[in-house]
Amino acid sequence: LCDASPAVQADKQCVLAVVKKHGMALEFAADVLKSDKEIVLAAVTNFGNSLQHASNELREDREVVLAAVRKNGEALKFASGDLNQDSECLKASGLWDEQMGQYSRTE
């Protein structure tokens, strides 16, 4: 998608086909498609860190964030709102200590 024409970058079916196989290609999709939940879910399901290229609205969407962190726990850093502190998202990312009942990352 990086070398594709703007028309291709804005074509939902083309972008969907690409991000299903190469999630990071979301970076090169037209902005309107970065707000399309179907496109973003396909991208983060393939490569969790592609969450960083999603619209702010979808970075606050629990379903999208959970899909991203289930693929790659580190994607949680790209979540917006309170989702990066949400216990369900932390658990899905592997950053929740079940015995302590708290965030377990040490940084």
Side-chain angles (χ1 to χ4, degrees), residues 14-26:
C14 287
V15 172
L16 184 59
V18 172
V19 299
K20 282 182 177 181
K21 295 185 180 200
H22 306 284
M24 279 302 286
L26 182 64

Side-chain angles (χ1 to χ4, degrees), residues 24-75:
M24 279 302 286
L26 182 64
E27 175 181 2
F28 304 106
D31 287 342
V32 68
L33 295 180
K34 293 176 184 181
S35 296
D36 185 295
K37 191 169 182 175
E38 181 183 11
I39 296 286
V40 173
L41 276 172
V44 301
T45 299
N46 175 266
F47 186 76
N49 281 348
S50 62
L51 181 63
Q52 67 187 300
H53 301 295
S55 68
N56 287 335
E57 177 184 328
L58 290 178
R59 290 169 65 177
E60 293 180 4
D61 183 288
R62 177 182 299 279
E63 181 182 2
V64 171
V65 171
L66 283 170
V69 300
R70 286 181 179 133
K71 188 67 177 178
N72 180 352
E74 292 294 316

Side-chain angles (χ1 to χ4, degrees), residues 66-107:
L66 283 170
V69 300
R70 286 181 179 133
K71 188 67 177 178
N72 180 352
E74 292 294 316
L76 190 61
K77 66 186 172 190
F78 302 116
S80 295
D82 294 332
L83 289 178
N84 60 3
Q85 298 298 314
D86 178 82
S87 63
E88 185 179 3
C89 292
L90 286 164
K91 288 175 187 176
S93 71
L95 298 173
W96 184 263
D97 186 327
E98 286 293 334
Q99 293 180 339
M100 298 290 288
Q102 64 185 19
Y103 181 65
S104 67
R105 189 168 186 169
T106 55
E107 280 192 34

